[in-house]
Amino acid sequence: MSQSRILVLLVFLFTFAGTLSGLAALAEAQTQGQQQQGNQGTSLRGIPPALAAAIQSGNSDAVAQAIATLSGGNPERAAGLAAAAIGAAERLMATNPQAAINVADAAMQTVRAVAVMQGAPAQTLQVATIAARIMVQPEAQRVAPQQVASLASAASAVVSNPTVYSASPTAALAVMTNAYATGKSAVITAAVPNAAADVAAVLRTASQTTALNQANPTNVATIDTILKGTNPTTGRPLGDSGTPPVQGENTGLQGSPT
């Protein structure tokens, strides 16, 4: 075989190999995209289409508006939709933390309404509990420290409502624990220097609220432990999370499922 034919053959082989490599990369990218779409679809399963679309947009105002429209002014319906939205937000943390935080913010806005707290305390507490798991995640704090600080303050205020607190004092105090730990984290403190003080003020008021102390005789002592920088459940310093429960009522609460 002449040298010219060998050269042509080599060029053909290199070109063919490059084409195969490109096709393989394209196929892998398509597979990953399909898997991501499938995961997102799973995370939104059972959620009304209008709310699911708002969650996918990652826009806080759109989520809040969808909940308001779909609930039709019914507090229980609003709380249920907020719980569904923030559940989806927690699952979004792995792929789009900023969108997840936006959705969580909208859910918390919904349950901060007095009518919702009074009408659906258990679901309101569920929303705050999931928010508390989101707020302590390092990626959430890195991406949106100001929003996370606001989330911590809002969650601690919501669970300090006597009706919500009474639904489960243990879960409410766990939310307070994560909220204060969030405010004290270095990332949050650097962005919002008064974050810990804001949460602490809410907790001090909670420790002096008669209805809370009647619902839970250990309320004052537990909040005092939190304000001293210790997780009342684990006995460890705030920020030393360990492994929390993933579902149901949370007791230690710090941290989030991966």
Side-chain angles (χ1 to χ4, degrees), residues 38-143:
N39 291 338
Q40 189 174 49
T42 300
S43 71
L44 297 173
R45 186 174 298 163
I47 296 176
L51 180 56
I55 292 170
Q56 287 180 312
S57 76
N59 184 287
S60 180
D61 290 338
V63 174
Q65 183 59 51
I67 292 174
T69 300
L70 291 168
S71 68
N74 183 303
E76 292 184 2
R77 178 66 173 157
L81 291 167
I86 201 167
E90 185 174 29
R91 294 186 289 274
L92 270 175
M93 273 299 302
T95 56
N96 193 340
Q98 180 62 72
I101 296 163
N102 290 346
V103 175
D105 182 55
M108 283 303 304
Q109 287 179 35
T110 298
V111 299
R112 289 187 74 176
V114 174
V116 176
M117 289 190 286
Q118 297 298 114
Q123 288 174 307
T124 295
L125 182 56
Q126 180 186 356
V127 171
T129 294
I130 297 174
R133 291 204 298 259
I134 292 173
M135 70 179 68
V136 294
Q137 293 194 47
E139 187 63 10
Q141 297 182 10
R142 184 191 69 79
V143 170

